[in-house]
Amino acid sequence: MRILLVLAHPLEDSFAAAVARTAREALEAAGHTVDLLDLYAENFDPRLSKAERGGYFDLPYDTSAVADIVARLKAADGLIFVFPQWWFNFPAILKGFFDRVFAPGVAFSHDAGGGRIVPQLTHIRLIYALTTTGSPWWLVRLYMGDPVRRLLKRGIAAFCSKGLNFRMLSLHDMDRATDAKRRAHLDRVRKLLSAIR
């Protein structure tokens, strides 16, 4: 399987970067091809331009400004996102990735009858999210309602593909995580990704 591994963290020595390295190693050891898209290292501009928004309903939609990333997305069989949750949401650069790359004609198309959108990422077999959050699990899940999981699973995954395998693995209370807890999380990442067939 060809996996597009998307990393959204500005620091090269972050725990998210360690998760991405672990993910890449586990996937490659299992025989998968990995295309690492480090949004910060590749200087991805998350800002949806005036022209992009203005042409949102044009046929065809103009994705020329992100054509290289669109090609990488179209070549993938699976997507794995590695990112921290900040303020119970995606980092801005990852939100911009969805805004600019998961565009009409790429991730979905508009139903000619109006209203509904039609999934276009039908070649994507899995979407996994490997995240961290500074908050404890009960605050994220019980108080906030797990917004990132809902956005990814019910929004992005469900509207852009059908029947894919969705998984999310989070390390909660990251700000107080011991080295042992971090190593245990990396082991969970390794085990999860080694099982992909």
Side-chain angles (χ1 to χ4, degrees):
M1 188 180 297
R2 183 175 180 85
I3 305 291
L4 181 60
L5 177 61
V6 181
L7 172 60
H9 198 292
L11 303 177
E12 297 90 354
D13 61 348
S14 66
F15 186 67
V19 169
R21 280 192 302 276
T22 300
R24 184 177 200 165
E25 291 165 4
L27 290 164
E28 289 177 343
H32 303 290
T33 301
V34 178
D35 177 7
L36 175 62
L37 171 55
D38 182 333
L39 294 173
Y40 281 95
E42 295 193 26
N43 201 30
F44 176 74
D45 184 352
R47 296 172 299 168
L48 187 70
S49 72
K50 183 177 180 179
E52 287 169 327
R53 183 58 196 146
Y56 210 69
F57 291 95
D58 291 351
L59 291 175
Y61 178 75
D62 182 9
T63 57
S64 59
V66 290
D68 58 332
I69 297 177
V70 167
R72 292 163 76 177
L73 174 62
K74 288 184 175 182
D77 302 303
L79 300 171
I80 298 178
F81 298 101
V82 180
F83 60 94
Q85 295 181 43
W86 291 333
W87 289 108
F88 307 101
N89 210 330
F90 304 116
I93 200 167
L94 183 57
K95 176 63 168 68
F97 171 86
F98 292 128
D99 290 345
R100 298 189 68 212
V101 179
F102 278 50
V106 177
F108 66 93
S109 60
H110 295 104
D111 184 347
R116 297 171 54 101
I117 61 174
V118 180
Q120 295 295 308
L121 292 179
T122 54
H123 60 287
I124 298 295
R125 294 169 34 201
L126 66 84
I127 292 181
Y128 284 11
L130 309 174
T131 76
T132 58
T133 175
S135 300
W137 72 269
W138 61 266
L139 185 60
V140 174
R141 290 188 187 162
L142 302 178
Y143 181 72
M144 292 301 297
D146 219 350
V148 168
R149 175 184 295 275
R150 283 188 291 115
L151 285 168
L152 278 172
K153 185 175 183 180
R154 296 183 191 173
I156 293 167
F159 288 123
C160 297
S161 187
K162 292 292 181 192
L164 59 72
N165 181 6
F166 176 83
R167 298 286 303 269
M168 185 162 147
L169 184 62
S170 301
L171 176 61
H172 295 95
D173 218 7
M174 175 65 193
D175 298 339
R176 288 168 291 283
T178 63
D179 286 342
K181 187 174 179 182
R182 292 178 189 205
R183 282 193 304 273
H185 184 73
L186 293 177
D187 286 342
R188 285 191 296 275
V189 167
R190 199 173 290 110
K191 182 177 179 182
L192 174 68
L193 300 186
S194 295
I196 294 175
R197 297 290 174 253

